[in-house]
Amino acid sequence: MTWIDRLAFFEPLDFAALGLLIAGWALIGWRIEHPGAKHPSTSLIMAEFRREWMQQMITREPRIFDAQIVSNLRQGTAFFASTSMIAIGGTLAVIGNAERLTGIANDLVLMDAPAFVWEVKLVILALFLTNAFLKFVWANRLFGYTAVVMASVPNDVTDANCGPRATQAGELNVTAARSFNRGLRSVYFALACAAWLAGPIPLLLATLFTLAVIWRREFASQSRTILLRSKT
């Protein structure tokens, strides 16, 4: 059986729903990181606070408070990375028992699909989880870089290296947060992808719901309003 024959197991609506999932994941990420100047995203607003944090750190004595925050951020990335790894392992284990899964899945969703269909759906899900894992791991390392650069900021505020080092720490902090947010979005869309197991229409609905939730949190949330108010 060729790949073309195998793809015939999927309906056109399946391809449309999958296309919307991937396009939505890519476009919402781009929009969040490149918003209009008059309507910044929550992530972009927080990036400015991260830069300002590093500048305020220069004159803070002692700097234990700042070190604790970075440590907490690293713990968060480590938690999500380990959770993603567990989810990947579980998904791969299910793929390895696709034949056993097929009977149960067909009974639950009232379909008569071969094991190949379920394997493809689970592989796509695993790819989103893998991307999330890689983003979380990289964010964890970048927060580690941030901590090292923060430690290199001289205690003497008159030192010429104070400002540049703090700026470097701020940019690393922003980059780490960007990677962490990308990992979170991959997790969100992995959850939406899981709806594909119930069919293309649930996938379409789950994708639209996920896009709406992310859009609201980034562009229409109460927290964003508070952040904008504090900047004025």
Side-chain angles (χ1 to χ4, degrees):
M1 182 179 292
T2 64
W3 277 99
I4 296 178
D5 295 329
R6 290 176 177 234
L7 292 178
F9 291 130
F10 295 95
E11 301 176 0
L13 191 57
D14 283 297
F15 294 106
L18 180 60
L20 177 64
L21 178 75
I22 296 175
W25 166 70
L27 291 176
I28 193 66
W30 182 88
R31 184 60 179 173
I32 289 171
E33 296 176 7
H34 303 85
K38 295 183 179 180
H39 200 66
S41 62
T42 301
S43 297
L44 202 66
I45 297 170
M46 282 301 302
E48 293 304 317
F49 277 98
R50 291 175 185 277
R51 294 186 177 98
E52 185 177 343
W53 166 24
M54 291 297 105
Q55 295 301 320
Q56 294 294 331
M57 178 201 64
I58 295 176
T59 57
R60 191 173 357 254
E61 292 293 343
R63 296 173 179 169
I64 297 175
F65 173 74
D66 307 284
Q68 287 178 335
I69 295 177
V70 175
S71 177
N72 289 337
L73 292 174
R74 292 199 72 187
Q75 289 178 3
T77 58
F79 168 78
F80 279 102
S82 60
T83 302
S84 299
M85 177 61 76
I86 293 172
I88 292 169
T91 304
L92 294 179
V94 174
I95 294 175
N97 292 276
E99 293 294 339
R100 183 178 300 176
L101 169 69
T102 301
I104 299 175
N106 287 338
D107 291 337
L108 290 176
V109 299
L110 301 178
M111 293 173 57
D112 188 17
F116 172 76
V117 171
W118 303 108
E119 290 173 350
V120 169
K121 294 179 179 182
L122 291 172
V123 166
I124 300 297
L125 173 60
L127 289 176
F128 274 105
L129 291 173
T130 301
N131 182 71
F133 170 76
L134 294 174
K135 295 300 181 183
F136 289 138
V137 169
W138 184 234
N140 184 276
R141 188 161 189 175
L142 286 175
F143 280 127
Y145 292 164
T146 301
V148 173
V149 176
M150 286 171 60
S152 72
V153 177
N155 289 325
D156 184 3
V157 296
T158 62
D159 193 304
N161 286 325
C162 266
R165 292 278 174 83
T167 299
Q168 286 178 311
E171 293 304 318
L172 284 170
N173 197 342
V174 170
T175 305
R178 184 185 303 122
S179 183
F180 180 75
N181 289 333
R182 289 174 178 176
L184 283 179
R185 286 196 295 273
S186 290
V187 171
Y188 294 155
F189 280 94
L191 294 174
C193 185
W196 196 15
L197 297 174
I201 294 179
L203 176 59
L204 283 171
L205 296 176
T207 300
L208 293 174
F209 178 77
T210 301
L211 287 170
V213 169
I214 295 176
W215 181 270
R216 180 190 174 280
R217 291 180 178 178
E218 289 289 342
F219 296 100
S221 64
Q222 184 177 4
S223 57
R224 178 181 178 277
T225 302
I226 294 172
L227 290 172
L228 285 174
R229 186 188 309 141
S230 61
K231 287 174 66 65
T232 58

